[in-house]
Amino acid sequence: MAAPALRLHDAQNDEARWIDAARDGDPQAVAWLAERYTHTVYRFALRMMRNEQDAHDAAQETMVKVLRNLQRYDKRWRFQTWVLSIARNTCIDEFRRRKRKSYKEAPDIADDSPGPMELTSRRERASSLHTAMGDIPPMYREVLVLYHFEHLKYREIADLLDLPIGTVMNRIFRARKKLRTAYQVVTGDAAPAGAT
Amino acid sequence: MPWLHVPDALLASFVRGTLPDDEASSVALHIDDCGACQARATSADPLSQAFASVDEPALPTELITGVLARVETGGPRLGAAVPAAGVGLAAAAALVLLLVGDPSSLLSGLGALIRAAEAILRAVDVPLALITPVWFAAAALSLAGAAITTRRMEGRETLWR
Ligand SMILES: [Zn+2]
């Protein structure tokens, strides 16, 4: 019977075993990693690229790179952070390849944003937030996506972006400020739930 | 830091983004490791609540199968041919050396050419197994070039004396 302290780390150990097996070429382990991380990568790409086809292509490209380059994975990083760093680079490359000036120029998946009077439900709030996210520069959107959607720790974001944690904090605060302003423009009145 | 958990006033300033960098960093590092303070920060930040109301996007159904199909078919699987290609490149360079009078400049030229090829291979994301022998070939050629240059210089010094 496993000690409680050991059981706490079972999930991580389990993942480490799958990663080792995938590195050794076990197809079942490769499939396990694909199942587990493709959604994370697609979600990140969609929120950055803001277009389903672009996100689909970037996610596929990222996962192929991840699964073909497992030997390069450094175990000091959390696997999710490593995967997201590859997703980030792929999105940036994809974006440059399409010669867009900013992610924002991609077609928006929620262009039909409602007017201020109808903004009551959770769904409408989410839709406004989505539109506001499209109105802030990608470098700010990125830190918000990593923190609020992917639930990365501050120091993981710092590792991923290769920046000092103070710089990351600064960027997150600026991003929040910009998002609040954008949100107010979208809704025509108050920021989410009365934010200042 | 003088506190066990982030005090309310400090947390409020943190959420508003009004703390100086060093103080914000120490709060951030604490929040990274303290579930209780993270929950307090989330409930104090209206934006966090707005983010929580966003639904997960649905995953396109064929995406995972598409990924696995591409991984299975793989990139170029060169296996033993890869080191052989590196050795072959070096051998070809050596052969050319025997036929020309100025080996050092030719070698450095070839070294540069191979490093350029390596940069291209990296840019198109070729597996490490392919890049390594190419890099070794470039390094070997550069070393050979340097050695020959040194010997020629030594030869010149002898003549000057
Ligand atoms: Zn705490």
Side-chain angles (χ1 to χ4, degrees), chain B residues 112-129:
Chain B
L113 195 69
I114 291 179
R115 278 193 294 275
E118 184 217 355
I120 293 168
L121 291 177
R122 281 189 194 279
V124 296
D125 196 42
V126 169
L128 194 62

mmCIF file of all heavy atoms in Angstrom, chain B residues 112-129:
data_model
loop_
_atom_site.group_PDB
_atom_site.id
_atom_site.type_symbol
_atom_site.label_atom_id
_atom_site.label_comp_id
_atom_site.label_asym_id
_atom_site.label_seq_id
_atom_site.Cartn_x
_atom_site.Cartn_y
_atom_site.Cartn_z
ATOM 1 N N ALA B 112 31.526 27.040 -43.613
ATOM 2 C CA ALA B 112 30.467 28.058 -43.590
ATOM 3 C C ALA B 112 29.222 27.552 -44.319
ATOM 4 O O ALA B 112 28.096 27.728 -43.873
ATOM 5 C CB ALA B 112 30.971 29.342 -44.239
ATOM 6 N N LEU B 113 29.490 26.859 -45.461
ATOM 7 C CA LEU B 113 28.381 26.326 -46.264
ATOM 8 C C LEU B 113 27.564 25.325 -45.443
ATOM 9 O O LEU B 113 26.341 25.360 -45.415
ATOM 10 C CB LEU B 113 28.966 25.630 -47.507
ATOM 11 C CG LEU B 113 27.986 25.342 -48.617
ATOM 12 C CD1 LEU B 113 27.549 26.650 -49.262
ATOM 13 C CD2 LEU B 113 28.610 24.421 -49.644
ATOM 14 N N ILE B 114 28.290 24.446 -44.738
ATOM 15 C CA ILE B 114 27.600 23.410 -43.967
ATOM 16 C C ILE B 114 26.863 24.017 -42.774
ATOM 17 O O ILE B 114 25.751 23.612 -42.444
ATOM 18 C CB ILE B 114 28.598 22.321 -43.519
ATOM 19 C CG1 ILE B 114 29.050 21.549 -44.769
ATOM 20 C CG2 ILE B 114 27.958 21.366 -42.518
ATOM 21 C CD1 ILE B 114 30.054 20.472 -44.507
ATOM 22 N N ARG B 115 27.480 25.053 -42.170
ATOM 23 C CA ARG B 115 26.766 25.703 -41.062
ATOM 24 C C ARG B 115 25.491 26.381 -41.568
ATOM 25 O O ARG B 115 24.473 26.374 -40.895
ATOM 26 C CB ARG B 115 27.677 26.703 -40.343
ATOM 27 C CG ARG B 115 28.603 26.020 -39.332
ATOM 28 C CD ARG B 115 29.255 27.043 -38.421
ATOM 29 N NE ARG B 115 30.152 27.915 -39.161
ATOM 30 C CZ ARG B 115 31.424 27.621 -39.435
ATOM 31 N NH1 ARG B 115 31.939 26.477 -39.040
ATOM 32 N NH2 ARG B 115 32.180 28.456 -40.117
ATOM 33 N N ALA B 116 25.549 26.912 -42.772
ATOM 34 C CA ALA B 116 24.343 27.521 -43.359
ATOM 35 C C ALA B 116 23.279 26.443 -43.569
ATOM 36 O O ALA B 116 22.105 26.642 -43.262
ATOM 37 C CB ALA B 116 24.695 28.183 -44.688
ATOM 38 N N ALA B 117 23.743 25.258 -44.072
ATOM 39 C CA ALA B 117 22.794 24.153 -44.284
ATOM 40 C C ALA B 117 22.160 23.747 -42.961
ATOM 41 O O ALA B 117 20.963 23.501 -42.877
ATOM 42 C CB ALA B 117 23.514 22.961 -44.902
ATOM 43 N N GLU B 118 22.997 23.732 -41.903
ATOM 44 C CA GLU B 118 22.482 23.358 -40.586
ATOM 45 C C GLU B 118 21.403 24.341 -40.124
ATOM 46 O O GLU B 118 20.364 23.945 -39.601
ATOM 47 C CB GLU B 118 23.641 23.341 -39.582
ATOM 48 C CG GLU B 118 23.217 22.863 -38.198
ATOM 49 C CD GLU B 118 23.941 23.611 -37.090
ATOM 50 O OE1 GLU B 118 24.824 24.431 -37.397
ATOM 51 O OE2 GLU B 118 23.592 23.390 -35.938
ATOM 52 N N ALA B 119 21.670 25.653 -40.364
ATOM 53 C CA ALA B 119 20.693 26.678 -39.962
ATOM 54 C C ALA B 119 19.362 26.453 -40.671
ATOM 55 O O ALA B 119 18.296 26.567 -40.077
ATOM 56 C CB ALA B 119 21.235 28.065 -40.283
ATOM 57 N N ILE B 120 19.453 26.062 -41.951
ATOM 58 C CA ILE B 120 18.220 25.806 -42.717
ATOM 59 C C ILE B 120 17.490 24.592 -42.130
ATOM 60 O O ILE B 120 16.287 24.608 -41.913
ATOM 61 C CB ILE B 120 18.547 25.591 -44.206
ATOM 62 C CG1 ILE B 120 19.081 26.903 -44.801
ATOM 63 C CG2 ILE B 120 17.320 25.112 -44.979
ATOM 64 C CD1 ILE B 120 19.711 26.759 -46.166
ATOM 65 N N LEU B 121 18.280 23.537 -41.818
ATOM 66 C CA LEU B 121 17.663 22.329 -41.255
ATOM 67 C C LEU B 121 16.951 22.641 -39.942
ATOM 68 O O LEU B 121 15.864 22.161 -39.676
ATOM 69 C CB LEU B 121 18.734 21.252 -41.000
ATOM 70 C CG LEU B 121 19.372 20.634 -42.236
ATOM 71 C CD1 LEU B 121 20.463 19.644 -41.842
ATOM 72 C CD2 LEU B 121 18.326 19.932 -43.082
ATOM 73 N N ARG B 122 17.601 23.499 -39.118
ATOM 74 C CA ARG B 122 16.963 23.875 -37.849
ATOM 75 C C ARG B 122 15.678 24.650 -38.103
ATOM 76 O O ARG B 122 14.678 24.459 -37.437
ATOM 77 C CB ARG B 122 17.904 24.753 -37.012
ATOM 78 C CG ARG B 122 18.954 23.964 -36.288
ATOM 79 C CD ARG B 122 19.699 24.867 -35.312
ATOM 80 N NE ARG B 122 20.911 24.240 -34.843
ATOM 81 C CZ ARG B 122 20.943 23.323 -33.868
ATOM 82 N NH1 ARG B 122 19.831 22.962 -33.286
ATOM 83 N NH2 ARG B 122 22.084 22.778 -33.496
ATOM 84 N N ALA B 123 15.744 25.544 -39.087
ATOM 85 C CA ALA B 123 14.575 26.397 -39.369
ATOM 86 C C ALA B 123 13.378 25.553 -39.794
ATOM 87 O O ALA B 123 12.247 25.868 -39.460
ATOM 88 C CB ALA B 123 14.918 27.405 -40.439
ATOM 89 N N VAL B 124 13.628 24.454 -40.516
ATOM 90 C CA VAL B 124 12.494 23.633 -40.954
ATOM 91 C C VAL B 124 12.215 22.516 -39.952
ATOM 92 O O VAL B 124 11.461 21.603 -40.226
ATOM 93 C CB VAL B 124 12.702 23.047 -42.372
ATOM 94 C CG1 VAL B 124 12.787 24.153 -43.398
ATOM 95 C CG2 VAL B 124 13.937 22.167 -42.435
ATOM 96 N N ASP B 125 12.853 22.635 -38.769
ATOM 97 C CA ASP B 125 12.589 21.709 -37.672
ATOM 98 C C ASP B 125 12.874 20.261 -38.023
ATOM 99 O O ASP B 125 12.023 19.392 -37.884
ATOM 100 C CB ASP B 125 11.133 21.846 -37.183
ATOM 101 C CG ASP B 125 10.979 21.189 -35.823
ATOM 102 O OD1 ASP B 125 11.894 21.374 -35.003
ATOM 103 O OD2 ASP B 125 9.976 20.491 -35.601
ATOM 104 N N VAL B 126 14.084 20.019 -38.491
ATOM 105 C CA VAL B 126 14.515 18.645 -38.739
ATOM 106 C C VAL B 126 14.962 18.048 -37.406
ATOM 107 O O VAL B 126 15.536 18.754 -36.589
ATOM 108 C CB VAL B 126 15.666 18.669 -39.763
ATOM 109 C CG1 VAL B 126 16.342 17.320 -39.877
ATOM 110 C CG2 VAL B 126 15.145 19.127 -41.101
ATOM 111 N N PRO B 127 14.671 16.748 -37.150
ATOM 112 C CA PRO B 127 15.039 16.148 -35.868
ATOM 113 C C PRO B 127 16.536 16.291 -35.564
ATOM 114 O O PRO B 127 17.367 16.346 -36.466
ATOM 115 C CB PRO B 127 14.682 14.675 -36.066
ATOM 116 C CG PRO B 127 13.648 14.676 -37.113
ATOM 117 C CD PRO B 127 13.929 15.847 -37.991
ATOM 118 N N LEU B 128 16.847 16.351 -34.268
ATOM 119 C CA LEU B 128 18.198 16.548 -33.774
ATOM 120 C C LEU B 128 19.168 15.535 -34.381
ATOM 121 O O LEU B 128 20.314 15.857 -34.683
ATOM 122 C CB LEU B 128 18.186 16.396 -32.244
ATOM 123 C CG LEU B 128 19.420 16.884 -31.496
ATOM 124 C CD1 LEU B 128 19.595 18.376 -31.710
ATOM 125 C CD2 LEU B 128 19.293 16.576 -30.020
ATOM 126 N N ALA B 129 18.692 14.280 -34.579
ATOM 127 C CA ALA B 129 19.540 13.209 -35.096
ATOM 128 C C ALA B 129 20.160 13.580 -36.438
ATOM 129 O O ALA B 129 21.249 13.129 -36.773
ATOM 130 C CB ALA B 129 18.704 11.943 -35.251
#
